[in-house]
mmCIF file of all heavy atoms in Angstrom:
data_model
loop_
_atom_site.group_PDB
_atom_site.id
_atom_site.type_symbol
_atom_site.label_atom_id
_atom_site.label_comp_id
_atom_site.label_asym_id
_atom_site.label_seq_id
_atom_site.Cartn_x
_atom_site.Cartn_y
_atom_site.Cartn_z
ATOM 1 N N GLY A 179 -12.213 -6.557 -11.093
ATOM 2 C CA GLY A 179 -12.103 -5.226 -10.564
ATOM 3 C C GLY A 179 -11.587 -5.267 -9.084
ATOM 4 O O GLY A 179 -10.642 -4.466 -8.913
ATOM 5 N N LEU A 180 -11.994 -6.186 -8.293
ATOM 6 C CA LEU A 180 -11.379 -6.300 -6.956
ATOM 7 C C LEU A 180 -9.965 -6.643 -6.949
ATOM 8 O O LEU A 180 -9.156 -6.075 -6.188
ATOM 9 C CB LEU A 180 -12.203 -7.209 -6.108
ATOM 10 C CG LEU A 180 -11.736 -7.420 -4.624
ATOM 11 C CD1 LEU A 180 -11.775 -6.169 -3.909
ATOM 12 C CD2 LEU A 180 -12.593 -8.474 -4.021
ATOM 13 N N LEU A 181 -9.608 -7.582 -7.815
ATOM 14 C CA LEU A 181 -8.231 -8.006 -7.845
ATOM 15 C C LEU A 181 -7.373 -6.798 -8.322
ATOM 16 O O LEU A 181 -6.217 -6.638 -7.744
ATOM 17 C CB LEU A 181 -7.962 -9.135 -8.762
ATOM 18 C CG LEU A 181 -6.641 -9.687 -9.027
ATOM 19 C CD1 LEU A 181 -5.969 -10.041 -7.678
ATOM 20 C CD2 LEU A 181 -6.602 -10.811 -10.066
ATOM 21 N N ALA A 182 -7.759 -6.056 -9.269
ATOM 22 C CA ALA A 182 -7.027 -4.927 -9.846
ATOM 23 C C ALA A 182 -6.885 -3.877 -8.728
ATOM 24 O O ALA A 182 -5.799 -3.314 -8.434
ATOM 25 C CB ALA A 182 -7.740 -4.260 -11.051
ATOM 26 N N LEU A 183 -7.968 -3.691 -7.972
ATOM 27 C CA LEU A 183 -7.858 -2.701 -6.841
ATOM 28 C C LEU A 183 -6.924 -3.118 -5.834
ATOM 29 O O LEU A 183 -6.053 -2.387 -5.269
ATOM 30 C CB LEU A 183 -9.295 -2.593 -6.208
ATOM 31 C CG LEU A 183 -9.395 -1.804 -4.914
ATOM 32 C CD1 LEU A 183 -9.085 -0.386 -5.203
ATOM 33 C CD2 LEU A 183 -10.816 -1.808 -4.297
ATOM 34 N N MET A 184 -6.974 -4.366 -5.342
ATOM 35 C CA MET A 184 -5.931 -4.929 -4.393
ATOM 36 C C MET A 184 -4.527 -4.770 -4.879
ATOM 37 O O MET A 184 -3.666 -4.293 -4.104
ATOM 38 C CB MET A 184 -6.269 -6.410 -4.039
ATOM 39 C CG MET A 184 -7.517 -6.613 -3.290
ATOM 40 S SD MET A 184 -7.714 -8.431 -3.044
ATOM 41 C CE MET A 184 -9.151 -8.409 -2.007
ATOM 42 N N LEU A 185 -4.247 -5.102 -6.128
ATOM 43 C CA LEU A 185 -2.848 -5.045 -6.622
ATOM 44 C C LEU A 185 -2.401 -3.587 -6.739
ATOM 45 O O LEU A 185 -1.228 -3.275 -6.333
ATOM 46 C CB LEU A 185 -2.798 -5.634 -8.052
ATOM 47 C CG LEU A 185 -3.105 -7.100 -8.151
ATOM 48 C CD1 LEU A 185 -3.170 -7.640 -9.478
ATOM 49 C CD2 LEU A 185 -2.018 -7.879 -7.324
ATOM 50 N N LEU A 186 -3.229 -2.624 -7.092
ATOM 51 C CA LEU A 186 -2.895 -1.275 -7.228
ATOM 52 C C LEU A 186 -2.516 -0.610 -5.795
ATOM 53 O O LEU A 186 -1.683 0.103 -5.714
ATOM 54 C CB LEU A 186 -3.989 -0.447 -7.967
ATOM 55 C CG LEU A 186 -4.042 -0.779 -9.424
ATOM 56 C CD1 LEU A 186 -5.354 -0.248 -10.025
ATOM 57 C CD2 LEU A 186 -2.851 -0.164 -10.219
ATOM 58 N N HIS A 187 -3.352 -1.024 -4.887
ATOM 59 C CA HIS A 187 -3.142 -0.543 -3.470
ATOM 60 C C HIS A 187 -1.891 -1.246 -2.936
ATOM 61 O O HIS A 187 -1.080 -0.557 -2.248
ATOM 62 C CB HIS A 187 -4.326 -0.783 -2.612
ATOM 63 C CG HIS A 187 -5.302 0.293 -2.706
ATOM 64 N ND1 HIS A 187 -5.167 1.608 -2.475
ATOM 65 C CD2 HIS A 187 -6.643 0.211 -3.021
ATOM 66 C CE1 HIS A 187 -6.301 2.333 -2.600
ATOM 67 N NE2 HIS A 187 -7.225 1.465 -3.045
ATOM 68 N N HIS A 188 -1.788 -2.519 -3.112
ATOM 69 C CA HIS A 188 -0.689 -3.254 -2.509
ATOM 70 C C HIS A 188 0.638 -2.784 -3.164
ATOM 71 O O HIS A 188 1.773 -2.882 -2.463
ATOM 72 C CB HIS A 188 -0.856 -4.746 -2.741
ATOM 73 C CG HIS A 188 -0.170 -5.515 -1.725
ATOM 74 N ND1 HIS A 188 -0.482 -5.493 -0.357
ATOM 75 C CD2 HIS A 188 0.795 -6.530 -1.797
ATOM 76 C CE1 HIS A 188 0.275 -6.353 0.285
ATOM 77 N NE2 HIS A 188 1.001 -6.979 -0.499
ATOM 78 N N ALA A 189 0.685 -2.331 -4.361
ATOM 79 C CA ALA A 189 1.850 -1.838 -5.001
ATOM 80 C C ALA A 189 2.466 -0.688 -4.306
ATOM 81 O O ALA A 189 3.677 -0.396 -4.350
ATOM 82 C CB ALA A 189 1.576 -1.379 -6.381
ATOM 83 N N ARG A 190 1.679 0.108 -3.456
ATOM 84 C CA ARG A 190 2.166 1.255 -2.742
ATOM 85 C C ARG A 190 2.559 0.948 -1.293
ATOM 86 O O ARG A 190 3.005 1.908 -0.586
ATOM 87 C CB ARG A 190 1.136 2.405 -2.752
ATOM 88 C CG ARG A 190 0.664 2.776 -4.137
ATOM 89 C CD ARG A 190 0.034 4.207 -4.147
ATOM 90 N NE ARG A 190 -1.203 4.191 -3.258
ATOM 91 C CZ ARG A 190 -2.420 4.246 -3.624
ATOM 92 N NH1 ARG A 190 -2.702 4.079 -4.930
ATOM 93 N NH2 ARG A 190 -3.370 4.287 -2.741
ATOM 94 N N ARG A 191 2.420 -0.282 -0.944
ATOM 95 C CA ARG A 191 2.505 -0.581 0.512
ATOM 96 C C ARG A 191 3.897 -0.245 1.074
ATOM 97 O O ARG A 191 4.052 0.328 2.200
ATOM 98 C CB ARG A 191 2.187 -2.051 0.789
ATOM 99 C CG ARG A 191 2.117 -2.278 2.297
ATOM 100 C CD ARG A 191 1.401 -3.615 2.547
ATOM 101 N NE ARG A 191 1.219 -3.784 3.982
ATOM 102 C CZ ARG A 191 0.645 -4.775 4.510
ATOM 103 N NH1 ARG A 191 0.292 -5.877 3.766
ATOM 104 N NH2 ARG A 191 0.367 -4.874 5.858
ATOM 105 N N ALA A 192 4.978 -0.553 0.362
ATOM 106 C CA ALA A 192 6.287 -0.266 0.835
ATOM 107 C C ALA A 192 6.611 1.146 1.174
ATOM 108 O O ALA A 192 7.465 1.486 1.963
ATOM 109 C CB ALA A 192 7.371 -0.835 -0.171
ATOM 110 N N ALA A 193 5.892 2.003 0.402
ATOM 111 C CA ALA A 193 6.176 3.471 0.610
ATOM 112 C C ALA A 193 5.165 4.039 1.620
ATOM 113 O O ALA A 193 5.288 5.270 1.858
ATOM 114 C CB ALA A 193 5.952 4.164 -0.816
ATOM 115 N N ARG A 194 4.277 3.270 2.159
ATOM 116 C CA ARG A 194 3.283 3.980 3.048
ATOM 117 C C ARG A 194 3.827 4.245 4.484
ATOM 118 O O ARG A 194 3.265 4.909 5.247
ATOM 119 C CB ARG A 194 2.054 3.019 3.164
ATOM 120 C CG ARG A 194 1.233 2.989 1.895
ATOM 121 C CD ARG A 194 -0.066 2.067 2.131
ATOM 122 N NE ARG A 194 -0.962 2.766 2.953
ATOM 123 C CZ ARG A 194 -1.381 2.327 4.069
ATOM 124 N NH1 ARG A 194 -0.885 1.284 4.664
ATOM 125 N NH2 ARG A 194 -2.256 2.998 4.822
ATOM 126 N N THR A 195 4.926 3.701 4.794
ATOM 127 C CA THR A 195 5.510 3.822 6.113
ATOM 128 C C THR A 195 6.940 4.130 5.989
ATOM 129 O O THR A 195 7.707 3.726 5.039
ATOM 130 C CB THR A 195 5.322 2.627 7.086
ATOM 131 O OG1 THR A 195 5.933 1.496 6.454
ATOM 132 C CG2 THR A 195 3.856 2.332 7.318
ATOM 133 N N ALA A 196 7.366 5.167 7.008
ATOM 134 C CA ALA A 196 8.906 5.424 7.005
ATOM 135 C C ALA A 196 9.633 4.393 7.814
ATOM 136 O O ALA A 196 9.075 3.453 8.315
ATOM 137 C CB ALA A 196 9.005 6.842 7.608
ATOM 138 N N SER A 197 10.962 4.483 7.910
ATOM 139 C CA SER A 197 11.733 3.507 8.552
ATOM 140 C C SER A 197 11.427 3.429 10.130
ATOM 141 O O SER A 197 11.679 2.380 10.725
ATOM 142 C CB SER A 197 13.217 3.895 8.452
ATOM 143 O OG SER A 197 13.609 5.228 8.964
ATOM 144 N N ASP A 198 10.844 4.522 10.588
ATOM 145 C CA ASP A 198 10.470 4.432 12.067
ATOM 146 C C ASP A 198 9.069 3.991 12.246
ATOM 147 O O ASP A 198 8.482 3.969 13.375
ATOM 148 C CB ASP A 198 10.525 5.915 12.670
ATOM 149 C CG ASP A 198 9.725 6.906 11.981
ATOM 150 O OD1 ASP A 198 8.995 6.587 11.105
ATOM 151 O OD2 ASP A 198 9.797 8.054 12.472
ATOM 152 N N GLY A 199 8.347 3.541 11.093
ATOM 153 C CA GLY A 199 7.029 2.998 11.330
ATOM 154 C C GLY A 199 5.887 3.993 11.138
ATOM 155 O O GLY A 199 4.715 3.679 11.131
ATOM 156 N N SER A 200 6.319 5.366 11.098
ATOM 157 C CA SER A 200 5.328 6.364 10.842
ATOM 158 C C SER A 200 4.653 6.297 9.522
ATOM 159 O O SER A 200 5.297 5.939 8.517
ATOM 160 C CB SER A 200 5.878 7.749 11.084
ATOM 161 O OG SER A 200 7.012 7.989 10.214
ATOM 162 N N LEU A 201 3.336 6.724 9.395
ATOM 163 C CA LEU A 201 2.680 6.808 8.122
ATOM 164 C C LEU A 201 3.258 7.911 7.175
ATOM 165 O O LEU A 201 3.606 9.023 7.654
ATOM 166 C CB LEU A 201 1.175 7.091 8.355
ATOM 167 C CG LEU A 201 0.353 5.978 9.010
ATOM 168 C CD1 LEU A 201 -1.071 6.349 9.165
ATOM 169 C CD2 LEU A 201 0.456 4.677 8.141
ATOM 170 N N VAL A 202 3.208 7.605 5.907
ATOM 171 C CA VAL A 202 3.559 8.595 4.928
ATOM 172 C C VAL A 202 2.398 8.829 3.989
ATOM 173 O O VAL A 202 1.975 7.887 3.279
ATOM 174 C CB VAL A 202 4.847 8.086 4.021
ATOM 175 C CG1 VAL A 202 5.147 9.135 2.971
ATOM 176 C CG2 VAL A 202 5.999 7.710 4.968
#
């Protein structure tokens, strides 16, 4: 369960910040 949770969150990491570093 923990591994699945990490993978699902990490999958979104590239989209969490804009090019200027601001949070999305």
Side-chain angles (χ1 to χ4, degrees):
L180 179 58
L181 179 57
L183 174 63
M184 289 179 174
L185 295 175
L186 290 165
H187 276 301
H188 207 59
R190 302 199 302 259
R191 188 168 190 179
R194 291 184 72 244
T195 55
S197 57
D198 61 358
S200 60
L201 290 181
V202 181

